[in-house]
Amino acid sequence: MASQSDHKATVIDGKFIAQTIRSEIAEEVRQLSEKYGKVPGLAVVIVGNRKDSQSYVGMKRKACAEVGIRSFDMNLPEQISEADLVSKVHELNENPDVHGILVQLPLPKHINEEKVLSEISLAKDVDGFHPLNIGKLAMKDREPLFQPCTPKGCLELLHRSGISIKGKRAVVVGRSNIVGLPVSLLLLKADATVTVVHSRSNDQESIIREADIIIAAAGQPMMIKGSWIKPGAAVIDVGTNAVDDPSRKSGYRLVGDVDFEEACKIAGCITPVPGGVGPMTVAMLLKNTLDGAKRVIVQ
């Protein structure tokens, strides 16, 4: 029997799985185009010029082009009023060539995020954050029109890696509206026994150590140590944290919420950062856009 120090977790290749999904989407888009003469359309609304938002949007545009989805970009000035932004969203709601609308967050301080997101047509809410979609996600025997992209990507990584969820103990670290909360609801729908650990939780380590499946989404660099992980557990690391690294040209490197090197010695499988969950989030956005288009085009 190999000693623990010889153990090496299987690294879940999110890039490869996402590329497989993109190929499947490209094929479906091609069939829609051939049969109905229409393709899915995704509108991305960006307010102001935050560098990180701009690069995300560029990545999404490129991903759309690769699978044949039309991009509609709306770059709006930082100082736009909430009312004007809402009317732009309404324009996109009315546009029959747009099947998905994504408002890049965060929005400037003077705009009420909740108000803007609730104005997106339910049938075009490809981010899955409309209160009605989240509400249906939270209820038994109800299905939202769209599931949020990052949580959906986490479960897809588990499914495509052959990891069963039913009856397993899953611990979600973090309770954000974007990842922690919806991924805990998705795991519950998949029949896991779910615990959410957050900044106010006592004895986080002992709770995490009982997990068969860990979804780390706390935004705390390398918070989860190898010793916190149950041998053989599946670890999905959503964290993307920049830490100083003078040896890098950029002066920093990206790390997850899990200490990857330590975790590899104990976990059964683990996603790397970068290259794990990130590519899946974009793939799920494309999938949601395709699904939204199919509801309209395929009558």
Side-chain angles (χ1 to χ4, degrees):
M1 185 179 150
S3 71
Q4 194 170 305
S5 60
D6 294 337
H7 174 80
K8 195 86 177 77
T10 303
V11 175
I12 298 172
D13 188 343
K15 266 189 187 161
F16 177 77
I17 295 172
Q19 197 52 57
T20 305
I21 293 167
R22 285 190 194 194
S23 303
E24 295 164 5
I25 293 167
E27 179 54 29
E28 282 203 61
V29 169
R30 194 182 60 75
Q31 288 173 9
L32 275 184
S33 177
E34 274 182 13
K35 198 168 175 188
Y36 299 95
K38 291 180 178 163
V39 296
L42 174 66
V44 179
V45 179
I46 182 167
V47 180
N49 49 11
R50 279 177 60 115
K51 281 248 185 318
D52 56 352
S53 291
Q54 296 281 1
S55 73
Y56 275 135
V57 171
M59 186 170 66
K60 285 164 186 167
R61 191 185 301 123
K62 190 164 166 272
C64 281
E66 189 191 310
V67 299
I69 290 175
R70 258 181 92 184
S71 281
F72 295 81
D73 291 340
M74 200 174 259
N75 290 301
L76 302 170
E78 179 90 23
Q79 58 278 10
I80 191 171
S81 71
E82 189 180 291
D84 285 350
L85 177 54
V86 166
S87 73
K88 293 285 187 194
V89 168
H90 289 170
E91 269 174 43
L92 295 170
N93 284 343
E94 298 303 314
N95 185 338
D97 294 326
V98 171
H99 304 100
I101 300 168
L102 182 138
V103 175
Q104 188 68 44
L105 303 177
L107 289 168
K109 293 276 185 282
H110 67 279
I111 294 172
N112 180 337
E113 199 170 279
E114 188 180 352
K115 165 87 175 116
V116 173
L117 294 181
S118 66
E119 293 292 331
I120 295 171
S121 158
L122 198 60
K124 298 187 180 189
D125 173 40
V126 285
D127 245 349
F129 294 143
H130 191 287
L132 266 172
N133 273 327
I134 290 286
K136 286 191 174 189
L137 186 63
M139 294 170 85
K140 203 175 174 190
D141 302 325
R142 306 280 166 89
E143 283 303 323
L145 282 176
F146 301 103
Q147 297 173 356
C149 301
T150 302
K152 184 177 179 168
C154 291
L155 268 80
E156 194 68 28
L157 283 173
L158 292 171
H159 291 313
R160 294 204 182 219
S161 302
I163 296 150
S164 67
I165 299 173
K166 195 173 186 171
K168 297 283 181 70
R169 299 195 73 157
V171 172
V172 177
V173 187
R175 54 175 168 178
S176 73
N177 288 337
I178 294 174
V179 185
L181 177 76
V183 86
S184 67
L185 297 173
L186 276 177
L187 287 162
L188 201 54
K189 265 205 196 307
D191 297 324
T193 303
V194 184
T195 307
V196 179
V197 166
H198 49 78
S199 57
R200 302 285 183 271
S201 301
N202 294 326
D203 204 5
Q204 299 176 7
E205 180 180 340
S206 67
I207 299 168
I208 293 168
R209 201 181 270 133
E210 294 192 343
D212 303 307
I213 296 166
I214 298 168
I215 311 273
Q220 300 294 323
M222 304 206 288
M223 162 192 157
I224 298 168
K225 306 299 173 201
S227 60
W228 296 24
I229 296 167
K230 177 180 176 177
V235 181
I236 305 290
D237 193 350
V238 185
T240 308
N241 311 290
V243 296
D244 291 337
D245 184 347
S247 72
R248 295 285 176 99
K249 197 171 159 188
S250 60
Y252 70 90
R253 66 191 163 94
L254 294 177
V255 299
D257 290 351
V258 178
D259 187 323
F260 184 79
E261 296 305 319
E262 280 187 17
C264 275
K265 296 173 188 164
I266 296 168
C269 58
I270 185 168
T271 57
V273 176
V277 176
M280 290 298 290
T281 300
V282 179
M284 294 300 108
L285 173 65
L286 301 175
K287 179 81 172 80
N288 279 351
T289 305
L290 170 64
D291 289 346
K294 276 159 63 176
R295 287 189 197 115
V296 179
I297 295 168
V298 182
Q299 295 296 352

